[in-house]
Amino acid sequence: MSVLLSHETIVGWLRETDTERLGELWHAADECRRINVGDEVHLRGLVEISNHCIRLCGYCGLRAGGARLERYRMTETEIIACAQRAASFGYGTVVLQSGEDYGLTAEWVAKVVTRIKRETGLAVTLSLGERPPAELRLWREAGADRYLLRFETSDPGLYAVIHPGRDGAPGHLHERLELLRCLREWGYEIGSGVMVGIPGQTVESLAADLELFRALDLDMIGIGPFIAHPATPLGSSDTTAHARTVVGDQASNDELTVCKMLALARLACPAANIPSTTALATINKQSGHEQGLGRGANVIMPNLTPPSYRVRYEVYPDKASVDATSDKGRASLTGRIEALGRRMGSGPGGRRRP
């Protein structure tokens, strides 16, 4: 199967229901993955360093004003300890993730990045939301290697509905896309991604998402089902009061549609690093990660956040988590990966470029 998929071909695959035909898609994506990124599954140690956020995103449990959420910020010492644990486990990357929290000052984040690089040698990925250009450049100069900034949907109208700006006015997709382009210019590997099945999202919109991945030449692509926290506007019993009216086929947030998107993303962006996401594992706790790895994914992100904080990083309830801290958990993960005919990755696992 050619990786140069037309818009019509992508839409056709997203609507496909025939099991045998879909088997062809799974095989093509898995073979594309094998040829372009190999059989290694790279592990990224995730550390959720703060659950504070100034944003009012319509689906996220970390949104500002969530009175029931107990807020926290990890200390520098706690974060460095997590990074050292990641290094001791043989991971090549640590991912520092938070809400958009300006209590994490630019200088403080730069200091943490510098220490991680100096003391562990790990690649550092940041996922801290939209921050001013001067701060993002400072973190790159401090040694940060990658930046994750999901756009969630390529539809500007839908983006404005689910992503209000900092002042509560509708958000602007073009601002986030421009920031991704700037991050690339400043030397970061860039990652983004989407949710599948947002109320008001169509199959045609998902096809446009895939085309935008390709246009941005993303180094990392995250795709997971739409799961809204029940204490948010889009997680309430009356989502129609907050969602956009669908014009066309409403995209499903089921496992099958997510797997189609993973497979098509691999074909559209053959060399990208693509995780089998926590959200996919949340809707299929038995084999969600395996399903993703069989549909083109090559990354898993075990959670190294201390348990007392992890339970408070509630983007949505009942979030799946890979046990990466115990010997039993790591052995189980290794066994699951090897059972797929794959092997644990080594080193930072950056994007392979010619």
Side-chain angles (χ1 to χ4, degrees):
M1 180 184 293
S2 170
V3 298
L4 298 176
L5 301 169
S6 69
H7 182 85
E8 292 73 20
T9 300
I10 293 171
V11 170
W13 278 118
L14 290 172
R15 290 177 172 155
E16 184 62 67
T17 58
D18 183 82
T19 302
E20 289 190 13
R21 283 278 291 150
L22 288 171
E24 297 175 16
L25 177 62
W26 310 148
H27 176 77
D30 198 45
E31 185 67 4
C32 183
R33 183 271 308 158
R34 185 188 66 78
I35 292 169
N36 289 280
V37 299
D39 287 329
E40 289 188 327
V41 176
H42 288 281
L43 303 184
R44 321 291 204 203
L46 175 64
V47 187
E48 295 156 334
I49 65 175
S50 167
N51 69 351
H52 290 261
C53 191
I54 66 167
R55 294 281 186 167
L56 286 166
C57 298
Y59 53 88
C60 180
L62 304 190
R63 69 197 304 265
R68 292 187 295 175
L69 184 65
E70 184 181 357
R71 303 287 179 170
Y72 74 87
R73 292 188 184 100
M74 289 178 63
T75 68
E76 177 183 337
T77 299
E78 289 170 326
I79 295 167
I80 298 301
C82 290
Q84 290 171 337
R85 176 171 283 186
S88 73
F89 293 162
Y91 302 171
T93 300
V94 66
V95 181
L96 306 185
Q97 184 178 77
S98 76
E100 195 165 308
D101 177 13
Y102 284 83
L104 305 176
T105 67
E107 294 75 17
W108 183 87
V109 172
K111 182 182 177 184
V112 170
V113 170
T114 298
R115 281 196 62 189
I116 292 173
K117 299 294 290 186
R118 182 178 67 243
E119 297 178 24
T120 71
L122 294 173
V124 175
T125 299
L126 300 177
S127 181
L128 307 178
E130 291 184 25
R131 299 286 293 242
E135 297 186 1
L136 295 166
R137 287 195 296 268
L138 175 66
W139 299 340
R140 176 62 185 148
E141 291 164 3
D145 301 277
R146 307 171 186 139
Y147 204 93
L148 299 177
L149 186 65
R150 291 166 63 106
F151 56 78
E152 306 298 9
T153 174
S154 60
D155 182 324
L158 184 57
Y159 182 93
V161 170
I162 67 171
H163 276 290
R166 294 185 184 93
D167 56 1
H172 299 289
L173 175 64
H174 68 85
E175 294 176 353
R176 185 156 294 200
L177 298 181
E178 180 58 29
L179 197 53
L180 279 166
R181 295 184 181 99
C182 289
L183 287 162
R184 167 64 53 71
E185 291 177 6
W186 299 329
Y188 284 98
E189 284 194 3
I190 60 169
S192 196
V194 297
M195 297 181 294
V196 176
I198 304 166
Q201 183 182 53
T202 65
V203 170
E204 294 276 353
S205 177
L206 290 178
D209 293 343
L210 289 158
E211 292 167 323
L212 184 54
F213 293 162
R214 185 164 51 197
L216 290 169
D217 189 26
L218 293 175
D219 302 302
M220 303 165 284
I221 299 171
I223 298 171
F226 172 77
I227 307 175
H229 194 288
T232 63
L234 288 174
S236 68
S237 58
D238 182 17
T239 59
T240 57
H242 307 282
R244 192 179 62 167
T245 301
V246 183
V247 180
D249 298 338
Q250 167 65 46
S252 172
N253 67 340
D254 64 7
E255 180 181 353
L256 178 60
T257 309
V258 173
C259 284
K260 290 178 185 178
M261 286 289 289
L262 283 171
L264 292 164
R266 173 58 66 198
L267 295 171
C269 304
N273 281 309
I274 303 177
S276 185
T277 60
T278 298
L280 177 57
T282 296
I283 64 171
N284 178 355
K285 289 187 169 63
Q286 297 302 312
S287 62
H289 279 124
E290 286 85 348
Q291 291 296 311
L293 291 173
R295 275 51 170 170
N298 69 314
V299 170
I300 290 179
M301 296 173 64
N303 196 326
L304 297 179
T305 310
S308 62
Y309 297 132
R310 191 183 310 175
V311 296
R312 288 185 266 167
Y313 200 85
E314 195 175 290
V315 176
Y316 48 81
D318 198 26
K319 185 173 62 173
S321 183
V322 175
D323 176 15
T325 56
S326 71
D327 291 340
K328 181 180 179 181
R330 295 198 302 280
S332 174
L333 179 58
T334 299
R336 290 163 62 189
I337 289 171
E338 292 178 348
L340 297 172
R342 309 280 284 278
R343 61 182 183 273
M344 304 290 277
S346 60
R351 176 176 172 180
R352 299 179 184 178
R353 288 188 177 273

